[in-house]
Amino acid sequence: MKILTLYKHAPYKLHRPAQLSRSLSTTKLFINGEFIESQAADHIEVRNPATQQVVTRVPQSTMQELDEAARSASMAFREWRRTSVLSRQRKMLDLQHAIRAHMDQLATSIVNEQGKVFSDAKGDVMRGLQVVEDMANITHYMQGNKLEVSSDMDTYSVREPLGVVAGICPFNFPAMIPLWMFPVALATGNTCVLKPSERDPGAAMLLARLCNDVGIPPGVLNIVHGAHDTVNFLTSDSRIRAVSFVGGDRAGKYIYERATQHGKRCQANLGAKNHAIVLPDANKEHALNAISGAAFGAAGQRCMALSVAVFVGKAQDWVPELVTRAQQLRVDGGFEADADLGPMITPEALQRAKLLIQSASDEGARLLLDGRDIKVPKYPHGNFLGPTIIDQATTQMQCYQEEIFGPVLTCIHVDTLDQALDLVNANRYGNGASIFTRSGASARKFQSEVEAGQVGINVPIPVPLPMFSFTGNKGSFLGDTNFYGRSGVNFYTQLKTVTSLWRKQDADDRQATVHMPTIH
């Protein structure tokens, strides 16, 4: 069976039922409003990244199960699309209330399967919840336009749903990314087949239960599992009209090309290399604290993590103080009090990050802080990497060229803001970039000339709130319509333009006459 050729980490270990403990739970499918035990022959183990304990087994959905999910979504669309926008708005209001009430439960699942510290896991849920709350504004987003173009003739546009859409989610935000996708799809009148990450599907399954609880009809949301075979189905089945994806470059390019070749819309958020430019006139305390949190929080496993700091002129003298702040961060299990960052997702991801750190040393950079040998006594088998700071790197080094996706900050020194801007703009990625400065003129120059799609001014992770949209660009995005906000609504809808003629003289509003008819 061909599995996981799309992913940069080592392949999953697939297990046959006879090899698995009968007492170990299996993640179910969610099809037509019911949680169903898969008949799959192959399963993927989900391990707690801090303990290596197997949390659950995720099935590679069978072709019959995938077909049933698509069929269920297609059948449900016939009625769901006719549901009034006010009814769909009401469901979004109910869903946001349910998510808020179950936030701790969702966060607990994220800590167990993904490894985030509990406070960060709650932040994961909250940022997704904000998208659901924004979809309570769907009555505004769905409004069309109307113009009287001629006497008695009107032209007007209406937004209509596409049909069945699919979402393919990454491991690093088990709640937020699904909530970027299916609430927008459902609020606009579509039905959805969602594939959460095989590494941490628990949060998505809890969200499915909450959808049931608030009365979203059967078949409107369906959840399937698996890896390569499931991706191939979702990107090729004729009933699926659009595909949303967030993840790495290799998988994203494959999914985008395959989906578009099969005539589907596709939006794909890919990799990133986010830079922060630090000017000597910046507020030093604010800049260093912000950079430390943005680089090392969530163990660096964010698509908007700050992975490169460009120190301009005398600002390079601040690097030792940045090291001191990073050393004070506590690495521990996600449920431990005062933990600042937890483990990386898998041993393979940890090993890859370690190799990239070693490559920096081999190529002449300085390791000011090396987190590779960190010990977490209570969790000796965890995938832990301590905060790591690579200094005096160059753009030719492997540690700069590749997305490390771990708690690793690469520091580069330049003399001027112009040099810093040239460096940032030469990078192939365009998710986000920030500047730290007290100068309005420098901030305006940066805002105007930087090519990244999301810009922060004294803000290290400039992820827009849902009333805007996530606007990564260049090599960080494939497609022409971004996630959530108005762009998300545009992605999941299509415009229909109607021109109508109702002549005034055809109105049957003449009074009756008693005069003798005459012929003129």
Side-chain angles (χ1 to χ4, degrees), residues 83-102:
T83 304
S84 73
V85 68
L86 291 177
S87 296
R88 299 197 302 269
Q89 179 190 48
R90 179 72 258 172
K91 293 304 180 188
M92 293 300 107
L93 290 167
D94 293 342
L95 181 59
Q96 67 84 24
H97 178 75
I99 292 171
R100 193 175 294 276
H102 293 82

Side-chain angles (χ1 to χ4, degrees), residues 8 422 466 480:
K8 61 188 176 186
D422 288 343
D480 54 13

Side-chain angles (χ1 to χ4, degrees), residues 326-394:
Q327 288 172 326
Q328 295 169 351
L329 296 174
R330 182 181 173 190
V331 181
D332 212 335
F335 291 115
E336 300 301 324
D338 302 323
D340 294 306
L341 61 149
M344 297 184 66
I345 186 68
T346 62
E348 293 80 17
L350 174 62
Q351 181 60 25
R352 178 179 177 275
K354 287 182 175 181
L355 290 174
L356 286 169
I357 294 168
Q358 184 59 47
S359 75
S361 179
D362 294 343
E363 293 181 73
R366 296 178 60 203
L367 290 182
L368 299 184
L369 183 62
D370 189 345
R372 287 178 291 177
D373 294 326
I374 192 167
K375 304 297 181 185
V376 182
K378 193 172 179 180
Y379 302 94
H381 304 297
N383 309 318
F384 293 102
L385 177 65
T388 298
I389 296 179
I390 300 169
D391 194 30
Q392 297 182 6
T394 69

